[in-house]
Amino acid sequence: MSLKIVVLAKQVPDTRNVGKDAMTAEGTVNRAALPAIFNPDDLAALEQALRLKEQNPGSTVGVLTMGPPRAGEIIRQGLFRGADTGWLLTDRLFAGADTLATSYALATAIRKIGDVDLVIGGRQAIDGDTAQVGPQVAQKLGLNQVTYVEEILSVEDGAATVRRLIDGGVETVKVPLPAVLTINGSAAPCRPQNARLVMKYKYATCPAERPADDPRASLYEERPYLTLNQWSVADVDGDPSQCGLSGSPTKVKGVVNIVFQAKESKTLTASDSDVESLVKELLNEKIIG
């Protein structure tokens, strides 16, 4: 069966190898000092979507992201790997969104796209690690959802069969469509960019990325596929009070970079007395219990 798939993706600061300049004096992430990358879990989600496209002729994959105009790079990277289209939500009213406002904006965009069979996103983003956006999108759209997915095994007869991680093992779940799936970063890595597709889409941009005197203006007229979809709050019929800072009840007091330094060490044997002593110490220090 042909599927209409939307992949939720985010451009994030690369927080995996942070240095002394990664935090601001106020204790927040210094985004200007960190390179912007395609969120790793979302790349895993994109791979699952592209596999479904290959398995189901006639299917399409679109990348949906929210951010400033430079976030159009995420859509291009999706196109370079095999996605068919993309949508960039960019508007000052979207700025400062927490997970609640982000999921609201994404849900309104998915409604505008319409007739979506599968929404696939990464489990979480490395700049927040909340794992809340995917489930919140499902709730706002009233869709079935499966989280912690490792692999989408098949889609047939109006349902998707997936394998997901659970405590102590894995389980296979069959979920009716339409549905929202969130993919673990431990799932299969995304395929590399395709050289032919890079040549085709390397000049693809959203209107907000283009200078007023863009020398490629005629090229965009000749090749409409090089113009990426760009939507504002008004374009998706969004409520400004539920977008950006206005729709974000979460308040982060600060972010602290903690480095653990071992001042002493203990060597324990496998004897019952050593194990009992360690457990008592951890209980007394309220580390466990």
Side-chain angles (χ1 to χ4, degrees), residues 11-15 21-24 28-36 70:
Q11 187 181 61
V12 296
D14 191 352
T15 58
D21 298 325
M23 309 297 292
T24 66
T28 58
V29 175
N30 184 3
R31 295 176 182 268
L34 298 173
R70 66 175 180 271

Side-chain angles (χ1 to χ4, degrees), residues 9-11 37-38 63 65 70-78:
K10 185 180 182 182
Q11 187 181 61
I37 62 171
F38 202 122
V63 177
T65 188
R70 66 175 180 271
E73 175 62 23
I74 295 302
I75 298 176
R76 283 188 289 277
Q77 289 187 32

Side-chain angles (χ1 to χ4, degrees), residues 102-239:
T102 297
S103 62
Y104 171 78
L106 295 174
T108 58
I110 293 168
R111 287 194 189 96
K112 181 178 176 67
I113 294 168
D115 300 321
V116 175
D117 297 297
L118 275 173
V119 178
I120 308 176
R123 182 174 71 91
Q124 63 185 34
I126 61 174
D127 61 343
D129 291 334
T130 64
Q132 294 174 351
V133 171
Q136 287 181 1
V137 168
Q139 189 276 331
K140 287 178 171 60
L141 293 174
L143 299 182
N144 302 305
Q145 63 171 303
V146 182
T147 56
Y148 299 97
V149 175
E150 282 287 297
E151 184 180 6
I152 303 174
L153 301 174
S154 65
V155 175
E156 56 186 5
D157 299 327
T161 302
V162 305
R163 188 179 74 250
R164 67 188 296 263
L165 287 181
I166 59 173
D167 288 343
V170 297
E171 69 177 359
T172 300
V173 177
K174 192 171 185 179
V175 55
L177 302 183
V180 176
L181 309 177
T182 59
I183 312 297
N184 292 331
S186 56
C190 194
R191 64 197 63 190
Q193 298 177 6
N194 180 285
R196 180 180 59 83
L197 293 175
V198 170
M199 294 304 295
K200 179 179 180 179
Y201 291 111
K202 64 180 180 180
Y203 296 129
T205 54
C206 64
E209 293 181 278
R210 302 172 186 170
D213 55 347
D214 195 327
R216 300 191 184 93
S218 60
L219 181 64
Y220 296 128
E221 292 181 2
E222 297 169 4
R223 304 176 186 178
Y225 62 84
L226 294 180
T227 298
L228 305 180
N229 298 296
Q230 175 185 312
W231 290 344
S232 66
V233 171
D235 290 329
V236 296
D237 298 322
D239 178 0

